[in-house]
Amino acid sequence: MAVQDQFEVITALKGELLRLKEGKKALEAAFSKSRRRENDLKRTIDRVKASRDGAFSEVHPHPARCTETALNIADRKLYEAARSRLASIVESSEVAIISLTLDGIILTWNRGAEKLYGYSAETTLGRPYSFLVASGQTDPLPSHSKKIAKGACVAPYETIVRGEDGRLFNILGALSPIRDDRNAISGISVIAYDITARKSAETALKAANERLHSTLASITDGYLKLGTSWEFLEMNSVAEKIFGRAEDVLGKVCWQRYPQAVGSEFYMQIHKATQKGHPVHFESQSIISGKWYETHAYPRTDGIEIYFRDISDRKRFEEEIKHLAYHDLLTGLPNKKLLIDLFRMELAHARRNRQKIAILFLDLDGFKEINDRFGHAAGDLLLKEVSDRLKRRMRGADIVSRVGGDEFNIILPNVTDSADAATISRKLIEDLNKPIRIYGNELLMTASIGISIFPDDSEDIDTLCRYADIAMYQAKQHVRNTYAFHNPSLNTKNIVRIRMENRLKQALKNNELVLFYQPQLIFGPQAVRCAEVLLRWQHPEDGLLTPDRFLGLAEETGMIIAIGQWVLLTACEQNMAWQAAGYPRICLSVNLSDREFHDSGLPESTRQILHQTGLDPNLLEYEIIEGIAMRDIDFTFSTFRQLIEIGVRLSLDDFGTGFSCLNFLARLPLHKLKIDRSFLRNMGDDSSNSAIIHAATTLARELNIIAVAEGVETEAEMKALRKYNCTNIQGHLLSKPLPADQFEHQVLRTRYPWKTLHAGT
């Protein structure tokens, strides 16, 4: 259940508790009223009995003597008058008064009995009193009548009776003996009172109490009620876990039992609520249990009710979130945000005490290659080991932070001069040069470090960090595995490079990269069946940039992987859009850089993008430069095999420049050979170039591979190629690279693109 839902449920339960308590008070009031009416009845009964006995004693103060002497007429009249007066009182009484024989036969039935039971006197006289008792109820009269006959006193009893209309109701019955003229017990007097309302109130009160205790016991919130003197009055099982068992705590003063809580946030808030008479809502950590609680307290006339919920897990989660916001998830080191905060404090301290601070920018050399070769899990273990080695080398006041994938910032407060920073940098490099064993492999790691000094180089945090970053690039470009201090004379060139790098990172997000398409023509059918995909950067300041202006930087920084995936996804989506528009199927050829080709995730990312776009794998072709493919034959065979299994076509680019071994070439599952453009120049004057082109086309034909001449710019080059049976050409003679809309208009919509393309050149 979500936290908000839990809160709403708890709020509803609290409202129900308040309603139950109000209902309980109303029932207690009704019960009290019933008790008062019952007491009034008993006093009435006592007066009736007193009147009856008084009348009897008034006429015969000495009954024994009366039996021995004859009553005179005056005394008898007085006696009869008293009896008549008593009978009149009994008959007219609103209270049910019934007289019975000792056997339980009804002798008299007054107006109150008629009103209570609904039966008239005519229908009840002479009948046994037991007929009034509801079925299933035990008639108490037989056992009580025996006691009365013996002169014993009988306590009032309660039972359920049935009225004339069939209604069942509760009565309270008071039994007393009836004596005859000789003072012998001859019958029983029953005075009955309807206590149905009281019994209903008792039942409702009991049910309300049960619901109240059940609700308090079932809610996950703790409930506690303190009296006006801060004594414990009520608590549920949740509260007992904190304050102790109810039987040990109830009645005791809270602050006397837990004096350590005096002055705590809980104490202050509860005191505030009782003093001002307003509810309070707060969060605090318990002095007793050590846990965190969210508390709502409501002052009442008889004390204060307190509801509290354990939020310790939420507090821990908040602390974890806070930790994650300021620390690197993998290494646990401070992140860039926390580093800046700590750096700011160190700078303030250094200014006050006129001290120097060195900031080091450390970058691992070749980490990307290790990550690609051994996998990301191995890379993570390597980063953890590096961070541990850095921390072990640091002094107590030094700060180590991971600010990027394989980049670390180190702050060295209170350095004497640059020599101190140099000494620590050398030791760090020595530490990192020691072999690191991961998954049974012994890895050798090097690092490049850039250093800037406060206040020598700058007094601004961002500037110091940027200078250290530039110095690190200087160290990396020099020999690597060394350190370099900030050098102002080299700033301009490096700043331009860094700006270009940062701008390239934004290019993908800002949709500044665009694709151009250059067709490949087949001579025979004069058809375009394939086009090479070429990347351009629509720079907001420098205009349209060709790949030679930025791909080298992308390759060096590793951004080429993300850029390459964008190129592949965009090209596949464009191909599908052309097919959906009804154009003929066309194969698109995408270039792979050195880093892209050696990326272990290339086959999987290719499979995912093809699946995502729905493009037929046979309509995708990868171009790999011959020199890259020949560098590691085993790796090339493995990668080619995975790509062929997906269904992707493969083309060897710049053929003739990489000194391919014909034995390996024959074993590669290639679809095309693209003859390097350098061999097309001066084919007529340079017989060696012509021989190479002739040999390449012949080799391709024998290996059942398509030979493509790229960079064709003149009619003479095209005629020479046709002479050597090279039937696939690409170059500016046919068409320059075109954006997607122009390619669609000039190539895909034209039945004979060669005529259109040639006419436009």
Side-chain angles (χ1 to χ4, degrees):
M1 184 181 289
V3 173
Q4 181 62 29
D5 295 337
Q6 292 179 351
F7 181 76
E8 292 176 357
V9 170
I10 293 302
T11 302
L13 287 172
K14 289 174 181 176
E16 179 63 19
L17 287 177
L18 292 176
R19 287 192 292 273
L20 288 172
K21 286 177 175 291
E22 291 172 357
K24 177 182 177 182
K25 290 179 180 178
L27 291 172
E28 288 174 342
F31 183 68
S32 178
K33 184 176 180 181
S34 297
R35 280 292 190 187
R36 287 196 300 271
R37 292 180 60 188
E38 186 176 321
N39 291 334
D40 291 342
L41 172 64
K42 289 179 178 180
R43 285 194 293 272
T44 301
I45 293 171
D46 292 340
R47 285 198 300 272
V48 171
K49 291 169 65 179
S51 298
R52 183 184 62 191
D53 295 342
F56 184 81
S57 60
E58 179 183 334
V59 177
H60 296 290
H62 305 288
R65 191 180 300 169
C66 290
T67 58
E68 297 174 358
T69 61
L71 295 174
N72 58 44
I73 296 175
D75 287 343
R76 184 171 294 278
K77 287 182 178 180
L78 185 60
Y79 172 75
E80 292 297 334
R83 287 177 61 88
S84 177
R85 186 167 63 250
L86 176 60
S88 177
I89 292 172
V90 170
E91 176 60 29
S92 62
S93 175
E94 293 294 322
V95 178
I97 303 175
I98 307 165
S99 62
L100 310 172
T101 66
L102 291 174
D103 295 331
I105 303 301
I106 299 174
L107 297 177
T108 62
W109 186 267
N110 76 339
R111 187 169 61 184
E114 289 183 354
K115 184 177 180 181
L116 178 61
Y117 292 96
Y119 292 102
S120 64
E122 289 78 9
T123 59
T124 57
L125 295 178
R127 299 181 65 179
Y129 181 77
S130 60
F131 91 92
L132 298 172
V133 179
S135 60
Q137 293 292 315
T138 302
D139 183 7
L141 189 61
S143 60
H144 288 341
S145 61
K146 292 179 180 179
K147 295 179 181 178
I148 291 174
K150 296 178 180 180
C153 294
V154 177
Y157 68 93
E158 296 178 3
T159 190
I160 299 175
V161 298
R162 183 184 299 276
E164 190 272 338
D165 57 1
R167 178 178 62 92
L168 298 177
F169 54 94
N170 298 82
I171 66 163
L172 173 69
L175 304 179
S176 59
I178 298 177
R179 298 179 181 273
D180 58 15
D181 293 344
R182 297 183 301 275
N183 200 29
I185 297 174
S186 60
I188 301 172
S189 172
V190 181
I191 300 177
Y193 178 64
D194 187 352
I195 59 169
T196 303
R198 194 198 81 189
K199 296 297 288 186
S200 297
E202 288 178 347
T203 302
L205 181 59
K206 181 180 179 182
N209 278 325
E210 290 176 350
R211 287 198 302 272
L212 176 61
H213 287 96
S214 176
T215 301
L216 289 175
S218 64
I219 62 175
T220 56
D221 276 17
Y223 168 75
L224 179 68
K225 184 172 183 180
L226 300 178
T228 54
S229 299
W230 302 79
E231 73 277 14
F232 289 101
L233 296 182
E234 296 179 44
M235 62 173 56
N236 68 353
S237 58
V238 178
E240 285 187 83
K241 294 178 181 178
I242 303 170
F243 296 98
R245 295 186 307 170
E247 53 265 33
D248 299 332
V249 174
L250 295 182
K252 294 181 172 59
V253 176
C254 178
W255 313 125
Q256 291 179 356
R257 183 171 177 83
Y258 301 103
Q260 67 271 32
V262 176
S264 65
E265 179 68 12
F266 181 82
Y267 175 90
M268 300 300 292
Q269 290 289 344
I270 299 302
H271 184 73
K272 174 183 175 182
T274 55
Q275 290 295 312
K276 295 187 176 181
H278 296 302
V280 292
H281 174 213
F282 60 94
E283 294 179 359
S284 63
Q285 188 173 18
S286 172
I287 301 296
I288 302 171
S289 67
K291 295 184 177 182
W292 278 88
Y293 295 95
E294 178 185 9
T295 304
H296 295 262
Y298 304 93
R300 307 296 184 201
T301 56
D302 58 345
I304 185 168
E305 290 185 338
I306 304 167
Y307 300 87
F308 50 92
R309 182 178 8 165
D310 187 347
I311 58 171
S312 300
D313 289 341
R314 194 195 80 193
K315 281 292 185 179
R316 277 193 298 272
F317 181 70
E318 289 174 353
E319 287 299 319
E320 290 174 3
I321 293 297
K322 184 178 179 180
H323 180 84
L324 291 176
Y326 288 95
H327 292 79
D328 174 53
L329 182 61
L330 177 64
T331 64
L333 294 175
N335 59 13
K336 185 64 176 286
K337 185 176 182 180
L338 181 56
L339 174 75
I340 295 301
D341 291 342
L342 297 174
F343 196 6
R344 188 174 289 111
M345 290 188 291
E346 291 296 340
L347 284 180
H349 179 78
R351 287 191 182 99
R352 288 193 302 268
N353 297 279
R354 299 180 181 276
Q355 296 174 345
K356 293 179 182 291
I357 298 176
I359 180 165
L360 279 56
F361 194 110
L362 185 149
D363 183 85
L364 301 178
D365 300 326
F367 175 75
K368 180 65 170 61
E369 287 73 15
I370 292 176
N371 213 26
D372 291 342
R373 183 176 179 183
F374 297 101
H376 292 289
D380 289 347
L381 292 175
L382 178 64
L383 290 172
K384 289 181 180 180
E385 177 61 26
V386 168
S387 65
D388 289 341
R389 293 187 181 188
L390 294 178
K391 286 186 291 186
R392 286 196 295 268
R393 174 57 63 183
M394 292 299 100
R395 304 169 300 175
D398 298 338
I399 301 168
V400 183
S401 168
R402 184 185 177 210
V403 295
D406 59 346
E407 298 173 341
F408 298 83
N409 277 167
I410 301 169
I411 297 175
L412 306 176
N414 193 22
V415 293
T416 304
D417 50 32
S418 58
D420 288 348
T423 300
I424 294 177
S425 297
R426 281 195 299 270
K427 292 180 179 179
L428 289 175
I429 291 174
E430 291 173 0
D431 291 341
L432 296 181
N433 287 165
K434 296 175 183 177
I436 300 175
R437 195 165 193 82
I438 295 178
Y439 294 151
N441 300 297
E442 194 171 82
L443 306 180
L444 297 178
M445 179 57 59
T446 62
S448 299
I449 300 176
I451 308 169
S452 63
I453 304 293
F454 167 88
D456 301 354
D457 296 322
S458 175
E459 295 190 13
D460 177 69
I461 293 177
D462 293 336
T463 303
L464 287 166
C465 291
R466 187 171 69 253
Y467 284 169
D469 191 4
I470 294 171
M472 184 274 296
Y473 277 109
Q474 294 171 5
K476 193 176 285 288
Q477 290 173 355
H478 182 52
V479 291
R480 294 195 174 192
N481 201 33
T482 188
Y483 62 89
F485 284 92
H486 165 63
N487 186 346
S489 63
L490 299 176
N491 268 359
T492 302
K493 181 179 178 181
N494 284 290
I495 287 174
V496 170
R497 182 187 183 282
I498 291 173
R499 284 178 178 172
M500 176 65 82
E501 181 181 340
N502 292 334
R503 198 67 192 80
L504 185 57
K505 290 178 180 178
Q506 297 298 319
L508 266 176
K509 298 179 181 178
N510 299 337
N511 296 316
E512 296 172 7
L513 299 181
V514 292
L515 295 185
F516 279 55
Y517 303 86
Q518 189 174 37
Q520 296 175 6
L521 180 71
I522 304 175
F523 277 134
Q526 294 286 301
V528 173
R529 302 282 174 76
C530 189
E532 182 177 356
V533 180
L534 299 167
L535 180 63
R536 300 290 186 268
W537 179 6
Q538 189 64 54
H539 196 285
E541 298 170 359
D542 300 335
L544 192 66
L545 303 182
T546 54
D548 58 293
R549 295 281 302 277
F550 61 89
L551 277 190
L553 179 62
E555 181 80 1
E556 181 182 338
T557 59
M559 286 188 287
I560 191 65
I561 301 299
I563 292 174
Q565 290 182 352
W566 177 86
V567 169
L568 179 60
L569 176 62
T570 305
C572 291
E573 289 177 339
Q574 182 62 71
N575 202 340
M576 291 298 293
W578 283 332
Q579 292 182 47
Y583 295 117
R585 289 157 59 94
I586 186 173
C587 180
L588 293 182
S589 184
V590 177
N591 290 280
L592 293 178
S593 72
D594 189 352
R595 180 167 282 195
E596 286 180 282
F597 180 66
H598 287 93
D599 179 17
S600 60
L602 174 64
E604 182 58 31
S605 62
T606 301
R607 183 183 290 105
Q608 290 178 358
I609 290 176
L610 288 172
H611 177 74
Q612 178 181 343
T613 59
L615 183 68
D616 184 347
N618 285 314
L619 298 181
L620 174 63
E621 181 178 281
Y622 277 144
E623 290 189 21
I624 300 95
I625 294 175
E626 181 185 18
I628 296 175
M630 293 299 110
R631 186 183 307 155
D632 186 342
I633 294 297
D634 291 337
F635 179 84
T636 299
F637 276 135
S638 174
T639 303
F640 274 22
R641 184 174 61 255
Q642 295 179 68
L643 293 173
I644 288 294
E645 288 175 355
I646 296 173
V648 176
R649 296 183 177 188
L650 300 172
S651 174
L652 197 64
D653 197 11
D654 293 348
F655 179 69
T657 64
F659 305 102
S660 298
C661 175
L662 295 182
N663 179 41
F664 287 127
L665 187 63
R667 293 167 55 194
L668 291 175
L670 295 173
H671 181 70
K672 286 180 184 177
L673 285 179
K674 297 190 75 173
I675 302 171
D676 187 67
R677 69 189 65 188
S678 63
F679 297 113
L680 302 182
R681 305 295 173 257
N682 304 316
M683 280 192 297
D685 300 330
D686 189 342
S687 60
S688 62
N689 282 357
S690 298
I692 291 174
I693 292 176
H694 179 61
T697 55
T698 302
L699 175 65
R701 189 166 51 253
E702 292 298 324
L703 295 177
N704 198 26
I705 299 173
I706 298 172
V708 179
E710 58 180 345
V712 181
E713 298 181 353
T714 67
E715 292 279 358
E717 291 172 352
M718 185 179 68
K719 289 179 181 178
L721 289 169
R722 299 193 69 170
K723 175 183 176 182
Y724 296 123
N725 293 320
C726 184
T727 57
N728 290 263
I729 63 172
Q730 175 184 342
H732 280 67
L733 177 64
L734 304 177
S735 171
K736 64 181 180 180
L738 301 170
D741 56 342
Q742 294 182 28
F743 184 85
E744 179 180 343
H745 178 73
Q746 297 184 27
V747 178
L748 298 180
R749 291 184 183 179
T750 306
R751 185 175 181 182
Y752 300 105
W754 161 246
K755 296 179 180 179
T756 303
L757 295 172
H758 187 54
T761 58

